[in-house]
Amino acid sequence: MRKKIAAGNWKMNKTMEEGKILASEVVNMVKDELRSDVHVILCPPFIHLTSLHAMLEGHSNIAFGAQNCSNHASGAYTGEISAPMLKSNGEDYVILGHSERREYFGETDSLLAEKIDIALENGLTPIYCCGEPLAVRERNEQTDHVQRQVEDGLFHLSDEDFGKIVIAYEPIWAIGTGKTASADQAQEMHATIRKQITGQYGEETANNTSILYGGSVKPGNAEELFSCMDVDGGLIGGASLKSRDFVDIAKAF
Ligand code: PGA
């Protein structure tokens, strides 16, 4: 069975103190309110991770992830953070290929394939993002676009390694814009991705792969999105910065 996941991508938001408050509110609400089969993941900025682990030690109901990692294990790469560092710090997940990384930092599918490999080698679970810009959807070429990203970023993996991947479909026109893909649009793309995985890795692997939707998920639309057969949860940006909203989304399964 695939996991139901609510992952919060804080992006470059929250000071240390604000982050501690937000994380502790989320932990308490999750403890009191959430069903145990929903996996909650918080992805704060790198520098918050250590303090949040220390503060939340013993709260096993939340997992942590980073928003990126280097494609190198160590060395002279000023400003970078490596997968071995993240693992040694207690992270379980790493978001890779977010459209903001692709667009503002020039990350390509081949670079992302390297990052996927190094994350897996170090026992991190990649949350691999894919999704089309508005112009591509307007030309009705979103399927090709997303399938290419999935193929180029992931299909070099062995069956075993692919089985560890989480995918997030995030149409770029819906990220931070308040515009959400309709449940039909999300379901259609998720089903397409799952079919593509079936073709490459077989039905069992495809059925066990969690595919998250991202792009303006809010408490008011989460239930409809998560009720789609192939939508296994959300990668949540803006709404993850408010504990009440984020936990209400996590409760929407
Ligand atoms: P959003 O961001 O929820 O603010 O649209 C989602 C994301 O970029 O992961």
Side-chain angles (χ1 to χ4, degrees):
M1 265 308 281
R2 48 191 188 251
K3 283 183 181 167
K4 295 177 175 39
I5 295 174
N9 174 11
W10 293 6
K11 307 192 181 182
M12 197 177 72
N13 291 296
K14 302 290 178 190
T15 64
M16 192 66 251
E17 279 316 303
E18 290 165 351
K20 282 183 178 171
I21 293 168
L22 174 57
S24 66
E25 286 173 358
V26 169
V27 164
N28 287 328
M29 289 180 193
V30 165
K31 178 159 56 70
D32 295 341
E33 302 173 26
L34 202 67
R35 338 191 311 216
S36 59
D37 63 338
V38 178
H39 295 257
V40 175
I41 305 167
L42 295 183
C43 302
F46 287 129
I47 60 162
H48 294 20
L49 286 162
T50 309
S51 310
L52 295 185
H53 282 300
M55 188 182 84
L56 300 173
E57 221 188 329
H59 291 275
S60 56
N61 57 355
I62 302 260
F64 282 93
Q67 299 171 15
N68 180 30
C69 73
S70 172
N71 57 324
H72 300 286
S74 65
Y77 300 102
T78 302
E80 290 288 271
I81 303 280
S82 73
M85 290 174 192
L86 293 174
K87 191 62 193 177
S88 69
N89 198 48
E91 271 51 81
D92 290 317
Y93 291 86
V94 59
I95 299 171
L96 292 174
H98 191 282
S99 60
E100 288 150 17
R101 300 290 321 168
R102 292 175 185 266
E103 189 179 339
Y104 306 142
F105 302 94
E107 298 197 359
T108 59
D109 287 332
S110 61
L111 174 78
L112 292 168
E114 291 178 22
K115 292 189 177 197
I116 292 278
D117 288 343
I118 203 157
L120 288 168
E121 277 162 28
N122 287 282
L124 297 166
T125 299
I127 301 174
Y128 179 70
C129 303
C130 54
E132 78 286 355
L134 183 60
V136 169
R137 181 155 286 260
E138 282 172 349
R139 292 198 302 273
N140 200 26
E141 291 169 1
Q142 63 273 14
T143 303
D144 281 356
H145 184 94
V146 168
Q147 287 192 327
R148 204 173 322 115
Q149 290 176 325
V150 170
E151 185 177 335
D152 292 352
L154 299 177
F155 278 6
H156 63 288
L157 294 174
S158 66
D159 288 20
E160 192 190 341
D161 277 345
F162 189 88
K164 298 171 187 158
I165 298 286
V166 172
I167 292 177
Y169 168 59
E170 302 202 301
I172 297 172
W173 46 272
I175 293 178
T177 57
K179 251 193 212 171
T180 317
S182 68
D184 285 350
Q185 287 172 321
Q187 168 57 26
E188 190 183 13
M189 185 61 80
H190 284 227
T192 299
I193 296 169
R194 202 176 303 285
K195 200 162 152 214
Q196 185 189 9
I197 299 169
T198 304
Q200 184 75 10
Y201 292 101
E203 205 169 315
E204 194 182 336
T205 300
N207 283 337
N208 287 331
T209 302
S210 293
I211 307 177
L212 315 182
Y213 169 78
S216 299
V217 179
K218 301 184 265 282
N221 58 26
E223 196 173 330
E224 195 189 358
L225 287 162
F226 295 175
S227 68
C228 297
M229 206 168 77
D230 289 292
V231 177
D232 306 309
L235 180 55
I236 298 124
S240 74
L241 300 175
K242 293 191 181 133
S243 52
R244 184 70 273 161
D245 285 359
F246 179 61
V247 175
D248 281 348
I249 290 168
K251 288 164 73 178
F253 285 99

